[in-house]
Amino acid sequence: MTNPILEVRNVSKRFGGVEALRDVSLEVKRGSITGLIGPNGSGKSTLFNVITGFYKPDSGSVYFEGRRIDGLNPNEIYNIGIARTFQIPRLFGSLTTLENMMLSPRGQKGESLLRAPLRKAWVNEELQIANEVKNLLKEFNMDGAYRMVASSLSGGHVKMVETSKGILGRAKLILLDEPTAGVHYAVGRSLFEYISYLRKTANLTFFIIEHRIDLLFDYVDYVYVLHMGRLLSQGTPEEVASDPKVIEAYIGGA
Amino acid sequence: MFDIVSFLVSWFPIFSIYAILALCLNMEIGYTGMANFGLVAFYAIGAFVAGYTSMTIFLSFYGYNYPIYSLDAIITMGKIAGRTPWLNISVFILSLILAFLVAGLAGYLVSFPTLRVGPAFLGITILSFGEMLRVFMKHFQPTGGSYGLLGIPHPFAWVSDPLIKNLLFVIVTLVILILVFIYFELLANSPYGRALKSIREDEIASLCLGKPVPRIKAELLFVASGVSGIAGALYVFYLGSVAPDMFVTAVTFEVWSMVILGGRGNNMGAILGALIFSLLNRATAILNFIFLDLLIDPNYIRWMITGILIIIVLMYRPKGILAEKTVKTDAWRIFGEAQRDWDRITAMIQVANRYLKRAFHWLIGRETK
Ligand SMILES: Nc1ncnc2c1ncn2[C@@H]1O[C@H](COP(=O)(O)OP(=O)(O)O)[C@@H](O)[C@H]1O
Ligand SMILES: [Mg+2]
């Protein structure tokens, strides 16, 4: 039996009158691709924001590799191995692809104020990261894009760079918020192909919010369904797809 | 007749001081996106720290216990300022160090409450801090209230030839400017500089890549405010006096104009902006002499020209005269891109190093003779 890499226990979060999350408990198994679906406004992004330290839950707790992490800051969450992407990609628009990708590795020696002016202290690490970036870009078939500013990249390339953050950052768990939103179906599929390739080769775990359920269900091991802030259903894609509650929520809901 | 040397000794220190301030602001706004609208506060703190320190040490060294702002103190300083060269130099160096530390600490403390919120809060908080500080200093008797301090000992007051004395000061400001430039270039072209730019671009995304954004901002404010303090100290030693009304908010916006015109995110641009505006200052001041019956204050003409210049430059070059460059680290080598900028910096360091050594040996050689 694999122990869960991430555990969410009885998490509630409200914004004024809106109960965005209510007593949500779930777990993500190590090495899995786990899906999170639900109609608009059901609390999916809020759950990601709680896990990554942007919101403190009103009650409940979050555990990563057995360690309690609610209360940590977003940067601390990244540094223990949880990377995330945003629903709307957030690359550093006027920086080049290379600079964007070089920012992902955590705990870089040259990122300290005192060591930064001493090139000797960080140059080897820098060259090593740059090599890794170069190989990744080759893998993405975007070799020439390294010197393009991020704001001029195509939608598909933006998604690749965004996904690469987790790889370069040596994340153990990667949270993706609607990774295929705004890109062509075929691009979305190749992104999911890449995700499942990474899961196998790089021993990564993925927790993915996705609106394209047909696409998601081809790749996930397990799915959670949120509805109006509550956990409505869970199971394998087949189980969830045939759950009448889920069908009703999607047809009758928002 | 236009005398180039006397122009140099009166203009160059002012240019260097503004260039140092522009470099500091550039690190804050150009690289990190922190809108420091109260830069003048840290400049003022450095200035007052230097004035206070040097007057106090000099007077107590010679056993006088006049208040440092008193007429007696000013007259006495006129007599004792040139007697002990080693004291002048040590007091000068100590003042620069203290100005850096106190101004840096102030930058850190003032900004601390605003580091976790958006950039607008930071800007407004520091802006009001600057004004409050100025008004406070006007009523703060230990540094002379609104009259400030006079008779601050020039670091080279012991040199009898005024031209050489002033030239030495030009050299000192030049060396400090170069050192600040090199240090900021090294910071900017490192993984740290890259992290700074990521904060400017998108604080949240930067946080999500593990960058301790509030800490980095605080560190940078410490360094940049500290260096602004050094600029303030230099200004005080240049003028020989310091008073609260030298530090009005307009100074901050003058430095902003330099950075915007020269090119945000480009250290050379900041220096270029300072060069243009300090020359413009001189030119409008000269106007005053030529047209004695000028109806408008040359200051207004200067501000008008400043505005027009910025509009024209930004129309054709929205990024400023010198556009921002990529963060030059060795990563580019992996992609087969030459490191011209990097090589230039290393060469500059070597040259600076050589001259510093030579100057050092020269000083030592004189001491032992
Ligand atoms: N920062 C916030 N302030 C107020 N309300 C919020 C905030 N974030 C989310 N909400 C509300 O919480 C609910 C869930 O939102 P969200 O998690 O974004 O849903 P989803 O990602 O599933 O579409 C919505 O009603 C939304 O309006
Ligand atoms: Mg959402």
Side-chain angles (χ1 to χ4, degrees):
Chain A
M1 217 199 88
T2 41
N3 64 325
I5 190 166
L6 180 79
E7 262 186 281
V8 174
R9 290 192 199 153
N10 309 102
V11 162
S12 297
K13 178 76 195 170
R14 58 162 58 239
F15 299 105
V18 180
E19 210 162 25
L21 292 173
R22 184 165 173 190
D23 202 25
V24 171
S25 297
L26 53 79
E27 49 182 63
V28 173
K29 292 219 157 53
R30 194 183 286 277
S32 71
I33 300 180
T34 302
L36 180 62
I37 62 170
N40 264 328
S42 56
K44 306 181 296 294
S45 294
T46 304
L47 181 63
F48 272 22
N49 282 329
V50 167
I51 296 169
T52 52
F54 276 93
Y55 301 148
K56 311 276 171 260
D58 298 336
S59 61
S61 48
V62 182
Y63 290 83
F64 177 68
E65 297 190 314
R67 171 186 171 192
R68 189 161 176 182
I69 61 163
D70 51 291
L72 295 186
N73 292 323
N75 56 313
E76 293 167 327
I77 301 271
Y78 185 81
N79 286 326
I80 60 172
I82 303 178
R84 77 172 290 181
T85 65
F86 289 90
Q87 199 164 340
I88 301 151
R90 299 180 87 139
L91 296 186
F92 305 110
S94 67
L95 304 189
T96 58
T97 306
L98 175 62
E99 288 161 297
N100 265 279
M101 292 175 77
M102 296 292 297
L103 277 159
S104 298
R106 46 184 154 114
Q108 292 181 46
K109 291 199 189 80
E111 281 181 359
S112 108
L113 174 69
L114 295 177
R115 270 190 298 240
L118 311 169
R119 175 167 159 271
K120 276 204 188 101
W122 49 262
V123 64
N124 286 335
E125 191 182 47
E126 182 80 359
L127 291 171
Q128 204 178 315
I129 299 169
N131 256 317
E132 198 182 340
V133 168
K134 194 179 182 187
N135 293 337
L136 268 179
L137 285 174
K138 200 173 282 168
E139 217 170 292
F140 297 164
N141 280 320
M142 46 189 291
D143 304 64
Y146 71 95
R147 52 166 29 260
M148 285 169 74
V149 289
S151 58
S152 67
L153 290 177
S154 71
H157 283 179
V158 166
K159 296 287 181 186
M160 294 316 274
V161 173
E162 186 85 11
T163 314
S164 78
K165 288 177 177 176
I167 305 165
L168 288 162
R170 300 276 184 273
K172 297 170 189 160
L173 170 66
I174 301 183
L175 309 182
L176 303 173
D177 195 345
E178 304 206 13
T180 74
V183 298
H184 195 273
Y185 184 85
V187 176
R189 185 161 286 280
S190 65
L191 192 70
F192 267 100
E193 285 294 336
Y194 186 62
I195 287 167
S196 74
Y197 160 78
L198 279 179
R199 180 260 289 269
K200 282 183 212 117
T201 56
N203 194 27
L204 290 167
T205 307
F206 287 91
F207 192 22
I208 305 175
I209 297 175
E210 185 53 68
H211 262 134
R212 286 181 172 154
I213 294 174
D214 51 337
L215 197 52
L216 182 80
F217 280 12
D218 285 348
Y219 296 92
V220 287
D221 309 305
Y222 204 80
V223 183
Y224 289 97
V225 187
L226 275 180
H227 181 48
M228 298 174 75
R230 289 177 205 239
L231 206 58
L232 182 74
S233 177
Q234 58 178 292
T236 61
E238 296 76 30
E239 287 164 5
V240 166
S242 58
D243 185 338
K245 280 185 297 188
V246 175
I247 296 163
E248 196 200 332
Y250 265 88
I251 295 166
Chain B
M1 212 204 75
F2 184 73
D3 176 357
I4 187 90
V5 177
S6 63
F7 171 75
L8 185 75
V9 297
S10 70
W11 162 78
F12 192 88
I14 295 293
F15 154 68
S16 311
I17 287 163
Y18 270 100
I20 292 170
L21 288 177
L23 284 170
C24 293
L25 183 66
N26 187 39
M27 288 309 285
E28 293 168 342
I29 184 67
Y31 279 92
T32 323
M34 290 188 291
N36 183 350
F37 290 132
L39 183 78
V40 71
F42 310 109
Y43 182 48
I45 290 173
F48 276 102
V49 166
Y52 184 86
T53 312
S54 52
M55 292 293 274
T56 308
I57 292 179
F58 257 82
L59 288 172
S60 55
F61 181 80
Y62 281 99
Y64 297 99
N65 49 10
Y66 312 124
I68 57 171
Y69 51 85
S70 63
L71 194 58
D72 288 330
I74 298 165
I75 294 167
T76 310
M77 284 307 296
K79 291 182 201 142
I80 62 179
R83 279 199 206 151
T84 36
W86 68 267
L87 187 64
N88 291 59
I89 300 288
S90 347
V91 162
F92 178 63
I93 293 170
L94 179 71
S95 297
L96 294 191
I97 294 171
L98 285 179
F100 174 83
L101 291 177
V102 178
L105 200 65
Y108 177 80
L109 290 178
V110 169
S111 54
F112 190 75
T114 66
L115 292 176
R116 285 177 187 280
V117 291
F121 288 93
L122 175 84
I124 301 301
T125 308
I126 306 185
L127 173 72
S128 28
F129 170 70
E131 268 305 276
M132 270 158 50
L133 182 75
R134 185 174 66 86
V135 174
F136 174 79
M137 291 314 284
K138 287 178 93 155
H139 300 277
F140 187 62
Q141 204 46 45
T143 54
S146 54
Y147 296 107
L149 301 172
L150 286 159
I152 290 152
H154 193 278
F156 305 109
W158 41 276
V159 179
S160 50
D161 183 341
L163 188 66
I164 293 180
K165 172 182 126 177
N166 291 332
L167 275 176
L168 281 172
F169 196 71
V170 165
I171 292 168
V172 166
T173 53
L174 175 67
V175 167
I176 293 175
L177 173 61
I178 291 174
L179 289 178
V180 169
F181 174 74
I182 290 175
Y183 176 58
F184 283 168
E185 276 290 279
L186 289 177
L187 267 194
N189 293 297
S190 75
Y192 192 78
R194 195 160 58 209
L196 294 181
K197 282 193 178 179
S198 78
I199 294 174
R200 178 193 72 191
E201 293 291 303
D202 186 340
E203 258 181 56
I204 304 284
S206 181
L207 206 58
C208 281
L209 288 179
K211 313 300 172 225
V213 174
R215 198 190 79 204
I216 293 178
K217 285 199 213 166
E219 285 170 357
L220 195 82
L221 276 164
F222 175 80
V223 170
S225 304
V227 176
S228 308
I230 291 183
L234 287 175
Y235 191 42
V236 163
F237 285 110
Y238 168 78
L239 287 180
S241 65
V242 54
D245 282 341
M246 292 171 3
F247 305 103
V248 291
T249 305
V251 175
T252 301
F253 290 102
E254 214 161 346
V255 180
W256 270 81
S257 314
M258 293 170 185
V259 173
I260 291 170
L261 189 83
R264 277 154 297 149
N266 187 318
N267 286 329
M268 265 312 203
I271 295 180
L272 183 64
L275 185 76
I276 292 171
F277 280 108
S278 63
L279 288 175
L280 190 67
N281 267 352
R282 287 286 134 155
T284 47
I286 290 168
L287 273 186
N288 207 15
F289 281 105
I290 301 175
F291 308 103
L292 286 173
D293 49 357
L294 203 64
L295 283 179
I296 21 178
D297 182 335
N299 270 319
Y300 291 123
I301 297 184
R302 182 157 56 89
W303 282 112
M304 267 154 50
I305 298 176
T306 302
I308 293 168
L309 210 59
I310 287 181
I311 291 171
I312 292 174
V313 167
L314 294 193
M315 255 163 42
Y316 294 99
R317 298 186 76 94
K319 292 177 173 173
I321 298 173
L322 298 179
E324 181 183 345
K325 293 198 217 125
T326 52
V327 175
K328 299 286 180 198
T329 67
D330 300 77
W332 294 93
R333 282 189 209 277
I334 299 293
F335 291 82
E337 298 226 356
Q339 287 292 290
R340 248 177 259 127
D341 286 47
W342 180 259
D343 294 340
R344 199 189 69 212
I345 297 165
T346 344
M348 273 176 68
I349 293 174
Q350 279 164 358
V351 170
N353 200 0
R354 201 178 318 137
Y355 278 102
L356 278 177
K357 265 189 199 145
R358 211 175 280 174
F360 185 71
H361 284 302
W362 180 75
L363 274 177
I364 298 290
R366 279 170 63 99
E367 286 276 296
T368 48
K369 242 179 256 169

